[in-house]
Amino acid sequence: MRRMTDLPPLAPPSYWWAIDPPAFPSLTQDLEVDVAVIGGGISGVTLAWTLVTQDATVAVLEAGRIAGAASGRNAGFLLALPAEPYAERIALWGREGARAMMQVGRRTHQRVAQLAQSLGIDCDHRVTGSLRLTRSEEETEDLRSSLPELRHDGFPMREIAREDVLPGHAVSRFHAAFEVPEDGVVHPVRFQHGLARAAEAKGAHILERTPVTGAAWRDGLWHVRALGRTVRARALVLATNAYAAQLVPALETLIVPRRGQMLATAPLEVRFDPRPVYANYGYQYWRQMPDGRLVIGGWRNVAFDTETGYSTETTPELQQAIETGMRDLLPDGAPIEYRWAGTMGFARDGRPLVGWLDAAHHLAICAGFTGHGMGIATACTEDLAQILAFKRAPMTASFDPQRFAEVREARDTYTSLGDARE
């Protein structure tokens, strides 16, 4: 298991890191801020921006590189609808819970678009729409049965002809096709680094290669230890997704690490539908980049037992499964230029934990995105900023960590995290 004190490689091996991203400093002196955020992925970075625009002082403490973990190893999808059929989500969470997840996805895309435009972030954001391709009659019927529920809640999705979105040789590999017009794509690393730079320019302390070893609540402040220094903060936020349980053991059964693997081909002459694609209940996904590269990943369902834990190494079994699946689109295969993996935090009920772990001691969390962090985190942190100001955030009420008995029962343990010695 990777510890919070382990330093990941300097440049995480994903296609998105083929660019030369900016470096941020490490912690070299004690600091005092309003809010300390542990984790420099999409949650930590967007929360930092939100808070500094509200005149709060913020420090983001990232053990590796900004956007270096799952936030920089995904497919860059901005989708309002989760991969699972909407009717199934209603059955699990109730209509309000299912609608809230959709709304936060829609708001995230809108906010990413607004930030990219207003701050001039060159991150290849595009509104493309998205496709859902089914592999079986059962999956098709599951999506069809969700269409009336989606229309009822104001989320357009419609069935279309497979022949209109797939090359002729691939049509027989899929059972049906559906489209969602409002979805889009983004270059995740460029977006997060652009936003981190903007937050830094407003006074945020964006600190990478700064692993937190522990934190303690004393005298009305959090004392967060990293690199032999102390950051004192009035509130502490865990934006560590899969790694949250390494500081708060009570979360071990609530947020579990799952590995996702991807690859990217060399530029291709053949052109596919430009929209991002989910297939087989979201276990398979891909998009073609403007330069022709196919970015494709998933197939985790062929090896559930091995795709757990904190390892970010690729495995021959999963990489071969992805390549085999890719031949549905490219019968002759294609040269592979990038292979990578990332660790996602899966919440027990599929919904993120956003809000107070312990309001009395100003400890909050924004984690457990179950593979959809790029698609929902940016709106979640906008709401979390409201919660940190002790204001209501009704849109994320169904994400309240207090819905879990384990969180409520462990409240006496939250004032000392990790190695809290100063």
Side-chain angles (χ1 to χ4, degrees):
M1 182 174 77
R2 177 189 147 186
R3 299 167 300 168
M4 292 294 290
T5 52
D6 292 337
L7 294 181
L10 183 62
S14 84
Y15 165 74
W16 310 113
W17 282 76
I19 62 172
D20 184 20
F24 294 86
S26 300
L27 181 66
T28 59
Q29 62 183 1
D30 293 350
L31 296 174
E32 184 158 340
V33 295
D34 294 321
V35 182
V37 181
I38 304 177
I42 186 66
S43 297
V45 169
T46 58
L47 179 60
W49 168 259
T50 305
L51 292 172
V52 295
T53 60
Q54 297 173 359
D55 298 323
T57 54
V58 184
V60 174
L61 311 173
E62 165 57 43
R65 300 291 305 276
I66 297 298
S71 293
R73 300 170 184 245
N74 55 73
F77 289 6
L78 295 171
L79 309 183
L81 307 183
E84 303 81 5
Y86 190 52
E88 178 183 311
R89 300 295 91 185
I90 292 174
L92 287 174
W93 303 333
R95 182 173 292 278
E96 287 304 313
R99 186 188 293 119
M101 184 68 85
M102 306 275 265
Q103 289 170 333
V104 81
R106 174 178 281 173
R107 289 173 52 220
T108 285
H109 189 181
Q110 293 170 344
R111 192 170 185 227
V112 168
Q114 183 270 324
L115 290 171
Q117 181 177 14
S118 64
L119 296 174
I121 301 174
D122 179 14
C123 58
D124 190 34
H125 169 260
R126 287 172 285 135
V127 178
T128 57
S130 70
L131 298 175
R132 308 298 168 96
L133 302 178
T134 63
R135 292 285 194 175
S136 66
E137 183 177 357
E138 178 184 9
E139 185 183 5
T140 298
E141 289 307 312
D142 283 344
L143 288 185
R144 282 176 180 161
S145 67
S146 291
L147 295 179
E149 304 288 0
L150 287 166
R151 285 194 294 270
H152 177 274
D153 287 343
F155 292 91
M157 181 178 182
R158 69 185 184 101
E159 188 170 358
I160 57 177
R162 291 171 293 169
E163 294 79 6
D164 291 344
V165 296
L166 288 166
H169 66 267
V171 170
S172 64
R173 303 291 186 177
F174 300 90
H175 191 269
F178 300 79
E179 68 175 3
V180 181
E182 65 185 83
D183 293 336
V185 294
V186 70
H187 190 300
V189 171
R190 282 180 173 166
F191 173 71
Q192 290 169 82
H193 280 120
L195 192 58
R197 279 294 188 220
E200 187 179 56
K202 278 189 165 289
H205 302 276
I206 307 295
L207 304 165
E208 60 182 21
R209 303 189 71 80
T210 301
V212 170
T213 54
W217 174 266
R218 288 195 295 270
D219 302 322
L221 291 174
W222 279 100
H223 297 240
V224 184
R225 295 292 293 166
L227 299 180
R229 304 291 184 178
T230 299
V231 176
R232 294 174 178 82
R234 292 168 179 78
L236 177 63
V237 178
L238 304 181
T240 47
N241 204 23
Y243 300 95
Q246 294 184 352
L247 283 174
V248 181
L251 299 173
E252 285 181 353
T253 62
L254 303 180
I255 302 176
V256 295
R258 297 282 186 263
R259 178 170 55 192
Q261 299 193 38
M262 298 191 69
L263 60 81
T265 70
L268 306 172
E269 292 186 5
V270 61
R271 292 289 168 162
F272 300 105
D273 190 290
R275 289 172 282 191
V277 177
Y278 267 155
N280 193 20
Y281 293 102
Y283 283 115
Q284 302 162 7
Y285 46 88
W286 61 85
R287 60 183 279 205
Q288 190 169 33
M289 303 301 296
D291 65 4
R293 284 185 172 84
L294 188 67
V295 176
I296 183 169
W299 278 263
R300 189 173 56 85
N301 57 314
V302 308
F304 277 131
D305 292 342
T306 62
E307 296 307 288
T308 61
Y310 294 96
S311 172
T312 56
E313 298 297 319
T314 59
T315 62
E317 180 182 13
L318 254 293
Q319 290 291 309
Q320 184 59 55
I322 297 171
E323 287 195 57
T324 299
M326 185 177 69
R327 290 181 182 274
D328 288 344
L329 304 172
L330 295 164
D332 297 327
I336 309 302
E337 291 193 349
Y338 301 90
R339 300 182 189 272
W340 69 94
T343 301
M344 303 170 286
F346 273 53
R348 189 165 70 191
D349 66 357
R351 292 177 291 180
L353 284 72
V354 181
W356 292 116
L357 286 175
D358 182 356
H361 299 103
H362 302 181
L363 175 65
I365 187 171
C366 191
F369 291 103
T370 314
H372 301 300
M374 282 304 302
I376 62 176
T378 303
C380 286
T381 56
E382 189 173 38
D383 293 343
L384 182 58
Q386 292 289 100
I387 293 169
L388 292 174
F390 291 91
K391 298 178 181 178
R392 295 182 66 251
M395 294 296 291
T396 52
S398 65
F399 305 159
D400 188 345
Q402 302 299 320
R403 70 185 185 272
F404 294 113
E406 291 90 336
V407 170
R408 300 191 302 272
E409 293 166 359
R411 60 170 53 95
D412 292 338
T413 69
Y414 294 141
T415 56
S416 181
L417 310 179
D419 182 358
R421 291 173 295 180
E422 188 169 4

